[in-house]
Amino acid sequence: MFWWIFATLVAFFVKGLCGFANTLVFSAILSFGSSNINITPVELLLGFPTNLILAWKERKSIRWKLCLPLIVLILAGNIPGIFLLKNTDSRSVKIFFGLVIMGIGVEMLLRERHPHKGKESRLVLILVGIMSGILSGMYGIGAMLAAYVSQVTEDSHSFKANMCAVFLAENLFRIPMYTATGILTPVALKQAALLFLVMLAGLFAGMKSSSLLDEKAVKTLVIFMLILSGAALVLGEVLAGG
């Protein structure tokens, strides 16, 4: 139980600080002792209220023109993602997505030397939305979505608002889907209930810390979290298969 408490505290501190990456931190810490099918539903139940809290806090910065297409695309990708989580050994898919996330993060880091607002390409939106949905359905991971949203939002408030609005809708879809497919069990519900106060403590500590940092520092932190998230995804699977 110690590792579940530690993973929850660290993961949701990161969530409060950056607005994402909680799932990867949570899974990276617990994956050596538990399987994804046991970790993912617990993190989903803990992540849902954090997305609600952050989306409400930053509600004035939500851009529905950006969020609504992403929500539709991610929900479409969720369905095959949930099927893959339930029925397949998806190690190679996880490694592929991890490498893609690392590449995006490195590109963003290099581009920080010549900052500019990214263009909202319809093709990129569709690709990111569907792939993010598959990855989210399988593992609850939104790092690819974070890479796109960070390029088309102005500041950390807008980033968190739009990320968490999309995640909130996705969570509301995935909870009944996980229940219907037997992924979300009474054991997961009990585990999440035991960790609820730990999650709140980590979240509010992260939110408080983010208010002490300037915008550039937060954006740089988001980029580093993307790179580390991708690396953790790949390394976890390589070690698990080794």
Side-chain angles (χ1 to χ4, degrees):
M1 190 62 181
F2 167 80
W3 287 109
W4 284 86
I5 293 171
F6 177 73
T8 303
L9 191 63
V10 175
F12 288 98
F13 176 84
V14 170
K15 176 73 169 182
L17 195 62
C18 296
F20 82 108
N22 46 297
T23 305
L24 276 165
V25 173
F26 193 78
S27 299
I29 293 171
L30 294 173
S31 61
F32 294 104
S34 302
S35 64
N36 280 312
I37 204 162
N38 295 323
I39 297 168
T40 301
V42 174
E43 200 283 330
L44 171 61
L45 293 172
L46 293 173
F48 171 69
T50 70
N51 288 316
L52 183 60
I53 291 167
L54 287 170
W56 178 258
K57 180 177 181 291
E58 306 289 357
R59 62 192 180 279
K60 292 181 180 179
S61 297
I62 294 175
R63 289 170 47 204
W64 292 110
K65 186 178 179 181
L66 170 64
C67 288
L68 290 176
L70 282 171
I71 288 170
V72 171
L73 291 165
I74 282 175
L75 295 188
N78 259 195
I79 296 170
I82 291 168
F83 178 81
L84 288 169
L85 174 65
K86 180 70 175 178
N87 297 289
T88 66
D89 176 15
S90 50
R91 179 171 174 263
S92 59
V93 176
K94 200 170 180 181
I95 291 173
F96 169 75
F97 275 115
L99 292 172
V100 170
I101 291 163
M102 286 174 65
I104 292 169
V106 170
E107 187 271 338
M108 289 172 64
L109 188 62
L110 294 174
R111 229 173 359 93
E112 273 298 285
R113 296 182 178 181
H114 304 284
H116 64 277
K117 186 177 181 289
K119 294 181 180 180
E120 296 182 28
S121 162
R122 182 171 296 181
L123 177 60
V124 173
L125 177 76
I126 292 170
L127 290 174
V128 168
I130 294 292
M131 289 192 292
S132 294
I134 293 171
L135 195 57
S136 184
M138 293 169 70
Y139 309 111
I141 292 166
M144 187 171 289
L145 176 66
Y148 177 76
V149 174
S150 70
Q151 293 184 57
V152 296
T153 50
E154 299 288 350
D155 53 40
S156 64
H157 297 286
S158 180
F159 174 78
K160 286 184 183 180
N162 291 284
M163 283 289 293
C164 290
V166 175
F167 283 150
L168 186 60
E170 188 269 349
N171 291 169
L172 286 169
F173 177 78
R174 199 152 44 102
I175 287 171
M177 285 292 290
Y178 275 17
T179 303
T181 54
I183 295 171
L184 183 56
T185 64
V187 173
L189 285 167
K190 181 180 178 182
Q191 188 83 317
L194 291 172
L195 295 168
F196 186 78
L197 292 178
V198 180
M199 174 273 291
L200 287 178
L203 178 71
F204 286 110
M207 289 169 65
K208 182 65 176 176
S209 298
S210 71
S211 68
L212 303 176
L213 300 173
D214 63 35
E215 288 292 334
K216 186 173 179 61
V218 172
K219 186 171 184 181
T220 301
L221 185 61
V222 166
I223 293 170
F224 274 111
M225 286 306 305
L226 277 170
I227 296 170
L228 290 173
S229 294
L233 204 57
V234 173
L235 185 60
E237 289 306 302
V238 169
L239 293 177

PDB file of all heavy atoms in Angstrom, residues 29-62:
ATOM      1  N   ILE A  29       5.482   4.393 -11.521  1.00  0.00           N
ATOM      2  CA  ILE A  29       5.848   3.977 -10.162  1.00  0.00           C
ATOM      3  C   ILE A  29       5.297   2.590  -9.844  1.00  0.00           C
ATOM      4  O   ILE A  29       5.968   1.761  -9.207  1.00  0.00           O
ATOM      5  CB  ILE A  29       5.353   5.002  -9.129  1.00  0.00           C
ATOM      6  CG1 ILE A  29       6.114   6.332  -9.301  1.00  0.00           C
ATOM      7  CG2 ILE A  29       5.524   4.485  -7.692  1.00  0.00           C
ATOM      8  CD1 ILE A  29       5.575   7.480  -8.477  1.00  0.00           C
ATOM      9  N   LEU A  30       4.077   2.299 -10.320  1.00  0.00           N
ATOM     10  CA  LEU A  30       3.393   1.068  -9.908  1.00  0.00           C
ATOM     11  C   LEU A  30       3.535  -0.100 -10.887  1.00  0.00           C
ATOM     12  O   LEU A  30       3.216  -1.232 -10.542  1.00  0.00           O
ATOM     13  CB  LEU A  30       1.900   1.358  -9.716  1.00  0.00           C
ATOM     14  CG  LEU A  30       1.547   2.301  -8.560  1.00  0.00           C
ATOM     15  CD1 LEU A  30       0.056   2.632  -8.589  1.00  0.00           C
ATOM     16  CD2 LEU A  30       1.917   1.687  -7.217  1.00  0.00           C
ATOM     17  N   SER A  31       4.029   0.178 -12.106  1.00  0.00           N
ATOM     18  CA  SER A  31       3.986  -0.844 -13.155  1.00  0.00           C
ATOM     19  C   SER A  31       4.854  -2.062 -12.884  1.00  0.00           C
ATOM     20  O   SER A  31       4.601  -3.134 -13.431  1.00  0.00           O
ATOM     21  CB  SER A  31       4.375  -0.233 -14.505  1.00  0.00           C
ATOM     22  OG  SER A  31       5.685   0.281 -14.455  1.00  0.00           O
ATOM     23  N   PHE A  32       5.871  -1.933 -12.035  1.00  0.00           N
ATOM     24  CA  PHE A  32       6.729  -3.082 -11.767  1.00  0.00           C
ATOM     25  C   PHE A  32       6.079  -4.074 -10.809  1.00  0.00           C
ATOM     26  O   PHE A  32       6.478  -5.232 -10.743  1.00  0.00           O
ATOM     27  CB  PHE A  32       8.083  -2.623 -11.217  1.00  0.00           C
ATOM     28  CG  PHE A  32       8.879  -1.841 -12.219  1.00  0.00           C
ATOM     29  CD1 PHE A  32       8.982  -0.471 -12.114  1.00  0.00           C
ATOM     30  CD2 PHE A  32       9.500  -2.469 -13.286  1.00  0.00           C
ATOM     31  CE1 PHE A  32       9.705   0.261 -13.052  1.00  0.00           C
ATOM     32  CE2 PHE A  32      10.220  -1.754 -14.233  1.00  0.00           C
ATOM     33  CZ  PHE A  32      10.322  -0.379 -14.111  1.00  0.00           C
ATOM     34  N   GLY A  33       5.051  -3.617 -10.065  1.00  0.00           N
ATOM     35  CA  GLY A  33       4.387  -4.510  -9.124  1.00  0.00           C
ATOM     36  C   GLY A  33       2.953  -4.837  -9.488  1.00  0.00           C
ATOM     37  O   GLY A  33       2.355  -5.745  -8.910  1.00  0.00           O
ATOM     38  N   SER A  34       2.367  -4.097 -10.429  1.00  0.00           N
ATOM     39  CA  SER A  34       0.971  -4.306 -10.814  1.00  0.00           C
ATOM     40  C   SER A  34       0.846  -4.205 -12.330  1.00  0.00           C
ATOM     41  O   SER A  34       1.667  -3.587 -12.986  1.00  0.00           O
ATOM     42  CB  SER A  34       0.067  -3.260 -10.154  1.00  0.00           C
ATOM     43  OG  SER A  34       0.173  -3.298  -8.743  1.00  0.00           O
ATOM     44  N   SER A  35      -0.226  -4.783 -12.881  1.00  0.00           N
ATOM     45  CA  SER A  35      -0.458  -4.721 -14.327  1.00  0.00           C
ATOM     46  C   SER A  35      -1.284  -3.479 -14.662  1.00  0.00           C
ATOM     47  O   SER A  35      -1.998  -2.942 -13.818  1.00  0.00           O
ATOM     48  CB  SER A  35      -1.189  -5.970 -14.803  1.00  0.00           C
ATOM     49  OG  SER A  35      -2.485  -6.033 -14.225  1.00  0.00           O
ATOM     50  N   ASN A  36      -1.194  -3.059 -15.934  1.00  0.00           N
ATOM     51  CA  ASN A  36      -1.932  -1.875 -16.382  1.00  0.00           C
ATOM     52  C   ASN A  36      -3.425  -1.992 -16.159  1.00  0.00           C
ATOM     53  O   ASN A  36      -4.093  -1.006 -15.854  1.00  0.00           O
ATOM     54  CB  ASN A  36      -1.663  -1.626 -17.875  1.00  0.00           C
ATOM     55  CG  ASN A  36      -0.347  -0.925 -18.098  1.00  0.00           C
ATOM     56  OD1 ASN A  36      -0.046   0.059 -17.455  1.00  0.00           O
ATOM     57  ND2 ASN A  36       0.442  -1.449 -19.018  1.00  0.00           N
ATOM     58  N   ILE A  37      -3.967  -3.188 -16.307  1.00  0.00           N
ATOM     59  CA  ILE A  37      -5.408  -3.359 -16.187  1.00  0.00           C
ATOM     60  C   ILE A  37      -5.885  -3.139 -14.745  1.00  0.00           C
ATOM     61  O   ILE A  37      -7.062  -2.869 -14.498  1.00  0.00           O
ATOM     62  CB  ILE A  37      -5.852  -4.740 -16.720  1.00  0.00           C
ATOM     63  CG1 ILE A  37      -7.324  -4.678 -17.139  1.00  0.00           C
ATOM     64  CG2 ILE A  37      -5.563  -5.844 -15.719  1.00  0.00           C
ATOM     65  CD1 ILE A  37      -7.759  -5.799 -18.041  1.00  0.00           C
ATOM     66  N   ASN A  38      -4.958  -3.231 -13.775  1.00  0.00           N
ATOM     67  CA  ASN A  38      -5.281  -2.940 -12.375  1.00  0.00           C
ATOM     68  C   ASN A  38      -4.978  -1.483 -12.013  1.00  0.00           C
ATOM     69  O   ASN A  38      -5.673  -0.883 -11.187  1.00  0.00           O
ATOM     70  CB  ASN A  38      -4.497  -3.873 -11.444  1.00  0.00           C
ATOM     71  CG  ASN A  38      -4.906  -5.314 -11.600  1.00  0.00           C
ATOM     72  OD1 ASN A  38      -6.083  -5.625 -11.802  1.00  0.00           O
ATOM     73  ND2 ASN A  38      -3.944  -6.220 -11.530  1.00  0.00           N
ATOM     74  N   ILE A  39      -3.943  -0.914 -12.642  1.00  0.00           N
ATOM     75  CA  ILE A  39      -3.537   0.456 -12.338  1.00  0.00           C
ATOM     76  C   ILE A  39      -4.473   1.477 -12.977  1.00  0.00           C
ATOM     77  O   ILE A  39      -4.916   2.437 -12.332  1.00  0.00           O
ATOM     78  CB  ILE A  39      -2.096   0.711 -12.838  1.00  0.00           C
ATOM     79  CG1 ILE A  39      -1.102  -0.185 -12.103  1.00  0.00           C
ATOM     80  CG2 ILE A  39      -1.710   2.175 -12.663  1.00  0.00           C
ATOM     81  CD1 ILE A  39       0.290  -0.211 -12.733  1.00  0.00           C
ATOM     82  N   THR A  40      -4.794   1.286 -14.257  1.00  0.00           N
ATOM     83  CA  THR A  40      -5.517   2.293 -15.036  1.00  0.00           C
ATOM     84  C   THR A  40      -6.887   2.666 -14.462  1.00  0.00           C
ATOM     85  O   THR A  40      -7.204   3.855 -14.374  1.00  0.00           O
ATOM     86  CB  THR A  40      -5.657   1.829 -16.504  1.00  0.00           C
ATOM     87  OG1 THR A  40      -4.346   1.617 -17.046  1.00  0.00           O
ATOM     88  CG2 THR A  40      -6.373   2.868 -17.338  1.00  0.00           C
ATOM     89  N   PRO A  41      -7.741   1.700 -14.050  1.00  0.00           N
ATOM     90  CA  PRO A  41      -9.046   2.104 -13.514  1.00  0.00           C
ATOM     91  C   PRO A  41      -8.958   2.877 -12.209  1.00  0.00           C
ATOM     92  O   PRO A  41      -9.766   3.780 -11.964  1.00  0.00           O
ATOM     93  CB  PRO A  41      -9.789   0.775 -13.332  1.00  0.00           C
ATOM     94  CG  PRO A  41      -8.742  -0.275 -13.335  1.00  0.00           C
ATOM     95  CD  PRO A  41      -7.638   0.232 -14.192  1.00  0.00           C
ATOM     96  N   VAL A  42      -7.989   2.562 -11.363  1.00  0.00           N
ATOM     97  CA  VAL A  42      -7.819   3.305 -10.104  1.00  0.00           C
ATOM     98  C   VAL A  42      -7.412   4.741 -10.409  1.00  0.00           C
ATOM     99  O   VAL A  42      -7.958   5.702  -9.838  1.00  0.00           O
ATOM    100  CB  VAL A  42      -6.775   2.624  -9.194  1.00  0.00           C
ATOM    101  CG1 VAL A  42      -6.504   3.484  -7.951  1.00  0.00           C
ATOM    102  CG2 VAL A  42      -7.244   1.238  -8.780  1.00  0.00           C
ATOM    103  N   GLU A  43      -6.463   4.906 -11.337  1.00  0.00           N
ATOM    104  CA  GLU A  43      -6.022   6.248 -11.698  1.00  0.00           C
ATOM    105  C   GLU A  43      -7.155   7.042 -12.343  1.00  0.00           C
ATOM    106  O   GLU A  43      -7.281   8.252 -12.133  1.00  0.00           O
ATOM    107  CB  GLU A  43      -4.822   6.153 -12.650  1.00  0.00           C
ATOM    108  CG  GLU A  43      -3.986   7.419 -12.727  1.00  0.00           C
ATOM    109  CD  GLU A  43      -4.626   8.494 -13.568  1.00  0.00           C
ATOM    110  OE1 GLU A  43      -5.367   8.152 -14.521  1.00  0.00           O
ATOM    111  OE2 GLU A  43      -4.386   9.680 -13.280  1.00  0.00           O
ATOM    112  N   LEU A  44      -7.996   6.375 -13.117  1.00  0.00           N
ATOM    113  CA  LEU A  44      -9.137   7.043 -13.738  1.00  0.00           C
ATOM    114  C   LEU A  44     -10.077   7.617 -12.680  1.00  0.00           C
ATOM    115  O   LEU A  44     -10.509   8.771 -12.776  1.00  0.00           O
ATOM    116  CB  LEU A  44      -9.893   6.049 -14.625  1.00  0.00           C
ATOM    117  CG  LEU A  44     -11.239   6.516 -15.192  1.00  0.00           C
ATOM    118  CD1 LEU A  44     -11.060   7.739 -16.080  1.00  0.00           C
ATOM    119  CD2 LEU A  44     -11.913   5.380 -15.964  1.00  0.00           C
ATOM    120  N   LEU A  45     -10.383   6.829 -11.665  1.00  0.00           N
ATOM    121  CA  LEU A  45     -11.287   7.290 -10.604  1.00  0.00           C
ATOM    122  C   LEU A  45     -10.679   8.432  -9.801  1.00  0.00           C
ATOM    123  O   LEU A  45     -11.391   9.345  -9.367  1.00  0.00           O
ATOM    124  CB  LEU A  45     -11.638   6.117  -9.674  1.00  0.00           C
ATOM    125  CG  LEU A  45     -12.478   4.999 -10.297  1.00  0.00           C
ATOM    126  CD1 LEU A  45     -12.590   3.833  -9.342  1.00  0.00           C
ATOM    127  CD2 LEU A  45     -13.865   5.518 -10.683  1.00  0.00           C
ATOM    128  N   LEU A  46      -9.365   8.404  -9.611  1.00  0.00           N
ATOM    129  CA  LEU A  46      -8.690   9.490  -8.889  1.00  0.00           C
ATOM    130  C   LEU A  46      -8.540  10.722  -9.780  1.00  0.00           C
ATOM    131  O   LEU A  46      -8.619  11.864  -9.298  1.00  0.00           O
ATOM    132  CB  LEU A  46      -7.309   9.023  -8.416  1.00  0.00           C
ATOM    133  CG  LEU A  46      -7.294   7.940  -7.340  1.00  0.00           C
ATOM    134  CD1 LEU A  46      -5.865   7.455  -7.099  1.00  0.00           C
ATOM    135  CD2 LEU A  46      -7.896   8.459  -6.032  1.00  0.00           C
ATOM    136  N   GLY A  47      -8.331  10.509 -11.081  1.00  0.00           N
ATOM    137  CA  GLY A  47      -8.102  11.625 -11.994  1.00  0.00           C
ATOM    138  C   GLY A  47      -9.358  12.414 -12.324  1.00  0.00           C
ATOM    139  O   GLY A  47      -9.284  13.624 -12.574  1.00  0.00           O
ATOM    140  N   PHE A  48     -10.518  11.754 -12.314  1.00  0.00           N
ATOM    141  CA  PHE A  48     -11.759  12.438 -12.669  1.00  0.00           C
ATOM    142  C   PHE A  48     -12.021  13.688 -11.819  1.00  0.00           C
ATOM    143  O   PHE A  48     -12.249  14.770 -12.369  1.00  0.00           O
ATOM    144  CB  PHE A  48     -12.934  11.462 -12.592  1.00  0.00           C
ATOM    145  CG  PHE A  48     -14.268  12.115 -12.739  1.00  0.00           C
ATOM    146  CD1 PHE A  48     -14.661  12.662 -13.951  1.00  0.00           C
ATOM    147  CD2 PHE A  48     -15.137  12.208 -11.658  1.00  0.00           C
ATOM    148  CE1 PHE A  48     -15.895  13.285 -14.085  1.00  0.00           C
ATOM    149  CE2 PHE A  48     -16.358  12.833 -11.781  1.00  0.00           C
ATOM    150  CZ  PHE A  48     -16.749  13.371 -13.001  1.00  0.00           C
ATOM    151  N   PRO A  49     -12.001  13.591 -10.479  1.00  0.00           N
ATOM    152  CA  PRO A  49     -12.247  14.814  -9.694  1.00  0.00           C
ATOM    153  C   PRO A  49     -11.165  15.876  -9.867  1.00  0.00           C
ATOM    154  O   PRO A  49     -11.453  17.070  -9.769  1.00  0.00           O
ATOM    155  CB  PRO A  49     -12.306  14.314  -8.246  1.00  0.00           C
ATOM    156  CG  PRO A  49     -11.672  12.972  -8.250  1.00  0.00           C
ATOM    157  CD  PRO A  49     -11.896  12.407  -9.604  1.00  0.00           C
ATOM    158  N   THR A  50      -9.927  15.478 -10.160  1.00  0.00           N
ATOM    159  CA  THR A  50      -8.882  16.488 -10.361  1.00  0.00           C
ATOM    160  C   THR A  50      -9.134  17.278 -11.645  1.00  0.00           C
ATOM    161  O   THR A  50      -8.908  18.491 -11.683  1.00  0.00           O
ATOM    162  CB  THR A  50      -7.473  15.849 -10.416  1.00  0.00           C
ATOM    163  OG1 THR A  50      -7.320  15.088 -11.613  1.00  0.00           O
ATOM    164  CG2 THR A  50      -7.221  14.953  -9.218  1.00  0.00           C
ATOM    165  N   ASN A  51      -9.614  16.609 -12.685  1.00  0.00           N
ATOM    166  CA  ASN A  51      -9.949  17.322 -13.919  1.00  0.00           C
ATOM    167  C   ASN A  51     -11.127  18.267 -13.698  1.00  0.00           C
ATOM    168  O   ASN A  51     -11.148  19.373 -14.247  1.00  0.00           O
ATOM    169  CB  ASN A  51     -10.274  16.321 -15.037  1.00  0.00           C
ATOM    170  CG  ASN A  51      -9.036  15.617 -15.534  1.00  0.00           C
ATOM    171  OD1 ASN A  51      -7.999  16.231 -15.753  1.00  0.00           O
ATOM    172  ND2 ASN A  51      -9.113  14.306 -15.705  1.00  0.00           N
ATOM    173  N   LEU A  52     -12.081  17.841 -12.892  1.00  0.00           N
ATOM    174  CA  LEU A  52     -13.228  18.690 -12.570  1.00  0.00           C
ATOM    175  C   LEU A  52     -12.779  19.938 -11.814  1.00  0.00           C
ATOM    176  O   LEU A  52     -13.189  21.066 -12.136  1.00  0.00           O
ATOM    177  CB  LEU A  52     -14.229  17.888 -11.734  1.00  0.00           C
ATOM    178  CG  LEU A  52     -15.532  18.595 -11.355  1.00  0.00           C
ATOM    179  CD1 LEU A  52     -16.310  19.008 -12.585  1.00  0.00           C
ATOM    180  CD2 LEU A  52     -16.377  17.683 -10.461  1.00  0.00           C
ATOM    181  N   ILE A  53     -11.915  19.760 -10.827  1.00  0.00           N
ATOM    182  CA  ILE A  53     -11.424  20.886 -10.013  1.00  0.00           C
ATOM    183  C   ILE A  53     -10.629  21.874 -10.860  1.00  0.00           C
ATOM    184  O   ILE A  53     -10.861  23.084 -10.814  1.00  0.00           O
ATOM    185  CB  ILE A  53     -10.561  20.363  -8.839  1.00  0.00           C
ATOM    186  CG1 ILE A  53     -11.443  19.618  -7.823  1.00  0.00           C
ATOM    187  CG2 ILE A  53      -9.817  21.509  -8.149  1.00  0.00           C
ATOM    188  CD1 ILE A  53     -10.662  18.802  -6.805  1.00  0.00           C
ATOM    189  N   LEU A  54      -9.682  21.367 -11.660  1.00  0.00           N
ATOM    190  CA  LEU A  54      -8.827  22.249 -12.460  1.00  0.00           C
ATOM    191  C   LEU A  54      -9.612  22.925 -13.586  1.00  0.00           C
ATOM    192  O   LEU A  54      -9.390  24.107 -13.881  1.00  0.00           O
ATOM    193  CB  LEU A  54      -7.652  21.467 -13.029  1.00  0.00           C
ATOM    194  CG  LEU A  54      -6.562  21.085 -12.020  1.00  0.00           C
ATOM    195  CD1 LEU A  54      -5.575  20.107 -12.640  1.00  0.00           C
ATOM    196  CD2 LEU A  54      -5.824  22.318 -11.521  1.00  0.00           C
ATOM    197  N   ALA A  55     -10.531  22.191 -14.229  1.00  0.00           N
ATOM    198  CA  ALA A  55     -11.339  22.789 -15.297  1.00  0.00           C
ATOM    199  C   ALA A  55     -12.223  23.905 -14.743  1.00  0.00           C
ATOM    200  O   ALA A  55     -12.383  24.960 -15.371  1.00  0.00           O
ATOM    201  CB  ALA A  55     -12.190  21.726 -15.990  1.00  0.00           C
ATOM    202  N   TRP A  56     -12.780  23.687 -13.564  1.00  0.00           N
ATOM    203  CA  TRP A  56     -13.615  24.722 -12.947  1.00  0.00           C
ATOM    204  C   TRP A  56     -12.779  25.935 -12.548  1.00  0.00           C
ATOM    205  O   TRP A  56     -13.177  27.077 -12.784  1.00  0.00           O
ATOM    206  CB  TRP A  56     -14.338  24.155 -11.736  1.00  0.00           C
ATOM    207  CG  TRP A  56     -15.172  25.181 -11.015  1.00  0.00           C
ATOM    208  CD1 TRP A  56     -14.876  25.837  -9.858  1.00  0.00           C
ATOM    209  CD2 TRP A  56     -16.446  25.686 -11.446  1.00  0.00           C
ATOM    210  NE1 TRP A  56     -15.875  26.713  -9.533  1.00  0.00           N
ATOM    211  CE2 TRP A  56     -16.851  26.649 -10.490  1.00  0.00           C
ATOM    212  CE3 TRP A  56     -17.275  25.429 -12.537  1.00  0.00           C
ATOM    213  CZ2 TRP A  56     -18.061  27.342 -10.593  1.00  0.00           C
ATOM    214  CZ3 TRP A  56     -18.474  26.117 -12.641  1.00  0.00           C
ATOM    215  CH2 TRP A  56     -18.841  27.055 -11.684  1.00  0.00           C
ATOM    216  N   LYS A  57     -11.619  25.686 -11.979  1.00  0.00           N
ATOM    217  CA  LYS A  57     -10.744  26.786 -11.543  1.00  0.00           C
ATOM    218  C   LYS A  57     -10.323  27.666 -12.724  1.00  0.00           C
ATOM    219  O   LYS A  57     -10.257  28.889 -12.607  1.00  0.00           O
ATOM    220  CB  LYS A  57      -9.508  26.220 -10.846  1.00  0.00           C
ATOM    221  CG  LYS A  57      -8.524  27.275 -10.351  1.00  0.00           C
ATOM    222  CD  LYS A  57      -7.357  26.626  -9.599  1.00  0.00           C
ATOM    223  CE  LYS A  57      -6.382  27.679  -9.066  1.00  0.00           C
ATOM    224  NZ  LYS A  57      -5.647  28.351 -10.149  1.00  0.00           N
ATOM    225  N   GLU A  58     -10.049  27.046 -13.878  1.00  0.00           N
ATOM    226  CA  GLU A  58      -9.557  27.775 -15.050  1.00  0.00           C
ATOM    227  C   GLU A  58     -10.636  27.933 -16.123  1.00  0.00           C
ATOM    228  O   GLU A  58     -10.338  28.145 -17.289  1.00  0.00           O
ATOM    229  CB  GLU A  58      -8.361  27.018 -15.651  1.00  0.00           C
ATOM    230  CG  GLU A  58      -7.229  26.704 -14.693  1.00  0.00           C
ATOM    231  CD  GLU A  58      -6.441  27.948 -14.277  1.00  0.00           C
ATOM    232  OE1 GLU A  58      -6.740  29.058 -14.777  1.00  0.00           O
ATOM    233  OE2 GLU A  58      -5.526  27.805 -13.440  1.00  0.00           O
ATOM    234  N   ARG A  59     -11.917  27.843 -15.730  1.00  0.00           N
ATOM    235  CA  ARG A  59     -13.022  27.792 -16.691  1.00  0.00           C
ATOM    236  C   ARG A  59     -13.062  28.988 -17.640  1.00  0.00           C
ATOM    237  O   ARG A  59     -13.523  28.863 -18.782  1.00  0.00           O
ATOM    238  CB  ARG A  59     -14.372  27.651 -15.964  1.00  0.00           C
ATOM    239  CG  ARG A  59     -14.715  28.807 -15.036  1.00  0.00           C
ATOM    240  CD  ARG A  59     -15.910  28.446 -14.158  1.00  0.00           C
ATOM    241  NE  ARG A  59     -16.287  29.532 -13.252  1.00  0.00           N
ATOM    242  CZ  ARG A  59     -15.667  29.787 -12.105  1.00  0.00           C
ATOM    243  NH1 ARG A  59     -14.640  29.044 -11.721  1.00  0.00           N
ATOM    244  NH2 ARG A  59     -16.083  30.785 -11.329  1.00  0.00           N
ATOM    245  N   LYS A  60     -12.599  30.158 -17.212  1.00  0.00           N
ATOM    246  CA  LYS A  60     -12.633  31.343 -18.070  1.00  0.00           C
ATOM    247  C   LYS A  60     -11.689  31.217 -19.268  1.00  0.00           C
ATOM    248  O   LYS A  60     -11.829  31.944 -20.248  1.00  0.00           O
ATOM    249  CB  LYS A  60     -12.275  32.591 -17.263  1.00  0.00           C
ATOM    250  CG  LYS A  60     -13.326  32.956 -16.221  1.00  0.00           C
ATOM    251  CD  LYS A  60     -12.936  34.216 -15.472  1.00  0.00           C
ATOM    252  CE  LYS A  60     -13.984  34.573 -14.428  1.00  0.00           C
ATOM    253  NZ  LYS A  60     -13.600  35.804 -13.656  1.00  0.00           N
ATOM    254  N   SER A  61     -10.736  30.286 -19.185  1.00  0.00           N
ATOM    255  CA  SER A  61      -9.764  30.119 -20.269  1.00  0.00           C
ATOM    256  C   SER A  61     -10.112  28.974 -21.215  1.00  0.00           C
ATOM    257  O   SER A  61      -9.356  28.678 -22.143  1.00  0.00           O
ATOM    258  CB  SER A  61      -8.366  29.867 -19.674  1.00  0.00           C
ATOM    259  OG  SER A  61      -7.931  30.975 -18.911  1.00  0.00           O
ATOM    260  N   ILE A  62     -11.249  28.307 -20.995  1.00  0.00           N
ATOM    261  CA  ILE A  62     -11.635  27.199 -21.870  1.00  0.00           C
ATOM    262  C   ILE A  62     -12.063  27.737 -23.234  1.00  0.00           C
ATOM    263  O   ILE A  62     -12.860  28.665 -23.325  1.00  0.00           O
ATOM    264  CB  ILE A  62     -12.785  26.377 -21.258  1.00  0.00           C
ATOM    265  CG1 ILE A  62     -12.308  25.662 -19.973  1.00  0.00           C
ATOM    266  CG2 ILE A  62     -13.291  25.332 -22.257  1.00  0.00           C
ATOM    267  CD1 ILE A  62     -13.409  24.931 -19.236  1.00  0.00           C
TER     268      ILE A  62
END
